[in-house]
């Protein structure tokens, strides 16, 4: 069973994504409502992957990603960004962060687990 950490400050996004991944794929899901909380949970929970919101107050997605990469306990965890910003300049900036992919909000809850599986090579 895969373990996923969802870091997003929007309650609705966290709930829909978690329900989708748990129900459709049968994965274990943990959530965090801020970058700081996400960093702590990633270090202790050691998920197989992280879905990370780009725009959050305080520690935003890119800053959270940099902190994840600095920590040897979390640097190996693949990260996919969740964002409504999908312009070419944004995608280029996100690619330089070392993320596995950029997933567009709003996402389809019925196909989210398929998207994540395809990106990470999970069958």
């Amino acid at each position: 069973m895969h373990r996923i950490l969802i870091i997003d400050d929007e309650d609705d996004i966290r709930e829909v994504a978690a329900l989708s991944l748990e129900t459709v794929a049968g994965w274990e899901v943990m959530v965090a409502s801020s970058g700081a909380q996400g960093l702590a949970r990633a270090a202790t929970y050691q998920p197989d992957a992280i879905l990370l919101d780009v725009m959050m107050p305080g520690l935003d997605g890119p800053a959270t990603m940099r902190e994840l990469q600095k920590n040897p306990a979390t640097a190996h965890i693949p990260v996919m960004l969740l964002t409504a910003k999908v312009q070419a300049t944004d995608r280029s900036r996100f690619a330089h962060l070392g993320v596995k992919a950029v997933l567009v909000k709003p996402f389809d809850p019925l196909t989210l687990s398929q998207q994540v599986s395809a990106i990470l090579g999970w069958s």
Side-chain angles (χ1 to χ4, degrees), residues 9-88:
D9 64 315
E10 294 180 53
D11 293 340
D12 293 345
I13 298 292
R14 284 194 317 272
E15 289 175 25
V16 169
L19 185 61
S20 167
L21 298 175
E22 289 168 345
T23 304
V24 175
W27 297 344
E28 182 181 331
V29 178
M30 173 164 278
V31 297
S33 60
S34 69
Q37 187 181 53
L39 292 172
R41 293 211 169 143
T44 57
Y45 179 62
Q46 289 294 300
D48 297 314
I50 296 172
L51 293 178
L52 175 61
D53 183 24
V54 171
M55 306 228 355
M56 296 185 291
L59 202 59
D60 68 3
T64 301
M65 178 67 186
R66 286 189 288 276
E67 292 301 315
L68 287 165
Q69 290 172 326
K70 284 182 193 175
N71 184 344
T74 58
H76 67 283
I77 302 170
V79 176
M80 290 154 284
L81 293 179
L82 287 170
T83 184
K85 297 182 75 172
V86 291
Q87 295 179 353

Side-chain angles (χ1 to χ4, degrees), residues 6 34 37 39 43 50 53 57 62 67 92 108 111 113 120 123:
I6 300 167
S34 69
Q37 187 181 53
L39 292 172
I50 296 172
D53 183 24
E67 292 301 315
S92 173
D108 180 351
T111 61
S113 62
L120 298 175
S123 36

